């Protein structure tokens, strides 16, 4: 599907966004292996989180959906049933990686696969620690989906993550629920901690000391009532649109502001963004608040080291802001970008090339020149939701009408993206 985007004169209004994708996945998986029903309000509407619900259903768990409210009738740690066919994770790296931790501990065999993009993404990062726990997982060429998982008894391990990845951390912790004793994961850099928070909410015993997480195996998890906050990673596109468009002012309500995610706001403020957080509160252990943003001239900056890990999903849209900023943006230590839904260094650079912005591409990053003029162009999502949305934002300040090809991929995390955008832009 092509989406035509015209330059915007102003971005304004008050919006609330669908539930956080990362948190929704975790609530669905933990809800399935908890005892009794979990009611999740504002569950993510994205296709990725539907994939997780599909897998959970295929494992014998009843799931009721009423709009964005989802009720999961949890079966307890030992209540899942062998699926009739291969589980379909769709486009979702979180689904396949996190759920594998649970599947590895089941007394039945299973297979889990994904779409073309997911089939190219590496799974050895979860296979290695899970194998150390005793799991039996076979993959295509030893590292790509589909994954064939055969039953095994898991034992606890202590594992130092070689890459900062919350998905890998979560796969180990979920497997650790099934191992007798203490599973310990240590991270090189603090990654998003939604799993730690959600595990506690469901009743697991968990100790966190700096970057070291210890989980007691075989807890009793109890179903809960939970609310997913508006997704900060989805909010990022609206923050960027408002920052880039003169005379704009926007409020985004009820956004998840977990400190392991909110580095985005700090970075935007370091670029000169005018951002205020209002009505800060806590829900289910997660920080939540309203974000007020107004357009502002932006300085450039550098994203590197721990900052890269903290901003990894937001880099495509930060690249767009960087190109419009005074001094441009350098992105370093970002080889992880190459193994996301697309190679995001390549897809960002290609769309910029089409808009007349020459980006210097490096193996693990890119250098984006500032004060760039965006030429209207035919842009492509390349099937990647964050590329679709980031370059829609770029198109808002191009010199004419642009087209986003394969724009439907935005629905992987945010099906209402274009509708919501049209609510807040004045053409
Ligand atoms: C996620 C972790 C990150 C992120 C992804 C969601 C999660 O991936 O890019 O969109 O929910 O844990 P990695 O764990 O591969 O860094």
């Amino acid at each position: 599907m092509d989406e035509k985007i015209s330059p915007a004169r102003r971005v304004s209004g008050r919006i609330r966004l669908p539930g956080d994708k990362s948190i929704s996945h975790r609530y669905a998986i933990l809800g399935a292996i908890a005892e009794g029903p979990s009611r999740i309000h504002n569950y993510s509407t994205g296709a990725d989180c539907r994939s997780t619900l599909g897998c959970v259903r295929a494992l014998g768990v009843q799931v009721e959906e009423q709009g964005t409210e989802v009720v999961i009738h949890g079966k307890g740690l030992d209540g899942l049933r062998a699926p009739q066919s291969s589980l379909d994770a769709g486009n979702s790296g979180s689904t396949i990686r996190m759920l594998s931790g649970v599947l590895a501990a089941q007394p039945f065999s299973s297979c889990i696969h994904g779409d073309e993009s997911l089939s190219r993404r590496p799974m050895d990062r979860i296979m290695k620690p899970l194998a150390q726990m005793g799991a039996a997982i076979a993959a295509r060429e030893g590292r790509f989906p589909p994954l064939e998982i055969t039953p095994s008894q898991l034992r606890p391990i202590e594992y130092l993550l070689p890459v900062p990845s919350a998905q890998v951390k979560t796969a180990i912790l979920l497997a650790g629920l099934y191992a007798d004793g203490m599973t310990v994961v240590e991270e090189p850099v603090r990654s998003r901690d939604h799993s730690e928070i959600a595990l506690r909410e469901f009743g697991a015993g968990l100790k966190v000391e700096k970057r070291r997480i210890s989980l007691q195996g075989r807890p009793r998890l109890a179903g809960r009532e939970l609310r997913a906050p508006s997704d900060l990673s989805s909010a990022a596109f609206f923050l960027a649109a408002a920052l880039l468009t003169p005379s704009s002012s926007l409020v985004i309500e009820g956004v998840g502001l977990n400190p392991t995610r909110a580095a985005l706001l700090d970075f935007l403020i370091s670029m000169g963004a005018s951002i205020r957080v209002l009505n800060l509160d806590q829900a289910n252990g997660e920080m939540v608040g309203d974000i007020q943003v107004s357009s502002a001239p932006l300085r450039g900056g550098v994203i590197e080291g721990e900052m890269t890990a903290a901003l990894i999903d937001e880099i495509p849209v930060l690249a767009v802001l960087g190109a419009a900023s005074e001094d441009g943006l350098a992105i370093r230590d970002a080889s992880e970008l190459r193994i996301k839904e697309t190679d995001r260094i390549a897809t960002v650079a290609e769309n910029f090339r089409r808009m007349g912005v020459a980006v210097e591409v490096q193996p693990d990053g890119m250098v984006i020149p500032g004060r760039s003029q965006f030429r209207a162009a035919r842009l492509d999502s390349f099937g990647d939701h964050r590329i679709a949305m980031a370059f829609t934002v770029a198109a808002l300040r191009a010199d004419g009408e642009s087209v986003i090809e394969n724009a439907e991929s935005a629905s992987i995390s945010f099906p209402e993206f274009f509708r919501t955008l049209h609510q807040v832009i004045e053409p």
Side-chain angles (χ1 to χ4, degrees), residues 124-148:
D124 44 336
R125 51 181 57 202
I126 55 152
M127 291 169 67
K128 195 166 161 232
L130 293 177
Q132 280 183 25
M133 297 179 85
I137 305 180
R140 183 176 58 81
E141 294 169 29
R143 61 193 293 246
F144 298 112
L147 303 179
E148 302 271 358

Side-chain angles (χ1 to χ4, degrees), residues 50 53 60 72 76-77 80 82 93 110 179 183 236 239 258 262 268 291 301 362 395 398 407:
R50 296 256 106 51
L53 290 184
I72 302 193
L77 274 187
L80 299 181
S110 55
T183 294
L239 297 174
N258 179 313
L268 291 174
I291 306 176
Q362 293 163 345

